[in-house]
Amino acid sequence: MADREVKFSFKQLSGKRFDVVDGKDNQDDLLKWSMKGRIKLQMYSFDQPFQAYQKERFVQDFMNDPEILSTLQTVSATCRWSPVGIPAKSVKVKAVPCSVLSMSFFDRLYENNIARENGHLHKCLDEFYEDFTIADELRKVLLLEDSDNYDTFSDADRDEFLFRLFKHVCLGGKLCQYEDMVDKYLEFTKTLYKDLISVQKNPETKELSIVSNVFSIQAEDEKENMYYPADTLHEQNFSYLVVDPLKRHVTVLFHKFGSSIY
């Protein structure tokens, strides 16, 4: 009963800048991957203590908060950014595991000959899967369950936030030009992950642990039509809320599948 009385309020931290997306260093890569102008990071503070079991209430309040409605950005079919504006009648929230602390998680790409020691991706004959062209062993691992190397990553591995980010970056947008080397994907993923999650050190063991809670979200309007992150389901239409319960910050990672905005 007490939980239902909790109402979270939010305030945009408009001064927060995410160089991984907004800085000049990665603009050429984002353009090449057809994600430029279609991916955005925003940060908000909130005013109540947060526990993971409150996730539905938290997201419901988030998607109905006046500050969110007027500042949370979404991109239209005509490539224009504007506030989401629409209150949510209902939300769908899924907790996303987030426990990986090292990029050695991806060493198996080299160990299983998906990428050579120098990072060069092994090519294959073109195949097509939904909106994606598969031209190398990496995309086979990401998309084709019947591929020889699909079990390189278990279902639990694939659910991890780090793997999700890597997959999103590798698949890109509608006119994505794929990399020949895996290094750029890994470096971008590492930087994005570090910008999104918060860690703390155990004072006794000195071990690091992740304190962030990650949720993938969808919102439906009063007619029960999904409108956020998009009005259609797609592998590359996504919105994640990354909640730091200690600082009471929530970071939104949003992307909508399409062509780069120049």
Side-chain angles (χ1 to χ4, degrees):
M1 186 71 175
D3 179 48
R4 286 202 294 270
E5 295 170 0
V6 171
K7 183 174 178 62
F8 293 92
S9 295
F10 300 87
K11 182 176 177 60
Q12 185 180 24
L13 301 177
S14 55
K16 174 64 178 177
R17 177 179 170 86
F18 294 93
D19 286 338
V20 64
V21 168
D22 300 323
K24 63 181 182 180
D25 291 348
N26 292 321
Q27 294 307 304
D28 289 344
D29 291 333
L30 290 170
L31 178 63
K32 183 178 181 181
W33 302 335
S34 196
M35 299 178 85
K36 183 177 180 179
R38 307 198 70 87
I39 186 169
K40 189 173 285 291
L41 285 155
Q42 295 178 265
M43 181 180 280
Y44 296 86
S45 62
F46 55 92
D47 64 341
Q48 301 287 337
F50 173 80
Q51 299 290 334
Y53 73 86
Q54 297 171 300
K55 61 184 183 295
E56 282 83 8
R57 168 57 60 197
F58 183 87
V59 176
Q60 186 75 41
D61 288 348
F62 182 83
M63 293 305 298
N64 284 280
D65 187 274
E67 176 88 352
I68 301 303
L69 297 181
S70 64
T71 62
L72 182 66
Q73 298 290 302
T74 184
V75 66
S76 70
T78 56
C79 300
R80 293 184 180 276
W81 287 95
S82 61
V84 64
I86 304 171
K89 179 182 180 182
S90 63
V91 295
K92 294 180 179 178
V93 187
K94 180 184 177 183
V96 176
C98 184
S99 62
V100 181
L101 283 165
S102 171
M103 292 298 288
S104 62
F105 179 82
F106 293 108
D107 285 354
R108 65 195 89 174
L109 293 174
Y110 305 95
E111 294 162 359
N112 288 275
N113 215 27
I114 296 156
R116 296 185 175 93
E117 278 188 34
N118 63 3
H120 199 282
L121 292 167
H122 280 273
K123 300 295 183 180
C124 64
L125 295 175
D126 284 0
E127 298 181 53
F128 301 94
Y129 177 85
E130 296 180 353
D131 289 314
F132 307 107
T133 301
I134 298 172
D136 54 53
E137 293 298 325
L138 175 60
R139 259 150 283 278
K140 279 189 178 181
V141 168
L142 296 177
L143 294 169
L144 299 184
E145 292 187 23
D146 61 354
S147 68
D148 292 340
N149 287 317
Y150 188 82
D151 61 359
T152 298
F153 296 92
S154 67
D155 289 343
D157 291 332
R158 292 170 183 274
D159 208 23
E160 278 283 341
F161 188 44
L162 180 62
F163 184 91
R164 286 170 174 246
L165 293 180
F166 178 69
K167 183 176 181 181
H168 288 316
V169 171
C170 291
L171 295 183
K174 190 173 183 178
L175 300 176
C176 181
Q177 302 173 57
Y178 297 139
E179 299 288 341
D180 293 325
M181 311 284 287
V182 74
D183 308 69
K184 277 196 174 182
Y185 295 136
L186 291 172
E187 190 58 39
F188 187 90
T189 300
K190 178 182 178 180
T191 305
L192 181 59
Y193 193 59
K194 287 178 68 176
D195 275 2
L196 285 168
I197 66 166
S198 300
V199 299
Q200 67 178 4
K201 182 182 288 188
N202 185 307
E204 295 180 0
T205 66
K206 307 302 180 184
E207 292 183 352
L208 294 176
S209 62
I210 295 171
V211 299
S212 302
N213 297 112
V214 182
F215 308 104
S216 63
I217 70 167
Q218 298 172 7
E220 295 181 345
D221 62 20
E222 59 182 10
K223 296 181 179 178
E224 299 184 351
N225 296 317
M226 187 176 76
Y227 68 92
Y228 183 85
D231 57 5
T232 55
L233 290 172
H234 191 282
E235 184 93 33
Q236 293 294 87
N237 290 335
F238 57 82
S239 181
Y240 296 102
L241 300 191
V242 183
V243 181
D244 183 332
L246 303 182
K247 293 181 179 178
R248 294 189 185 177
H249 288 170
V250 54
T251 305
V252 185
L253 170 63
F254 168 94
H255 178 263
K256 188 173 182 181
F257 184 74
S259 303
S260 281
I261 301 172
Y262 294 81

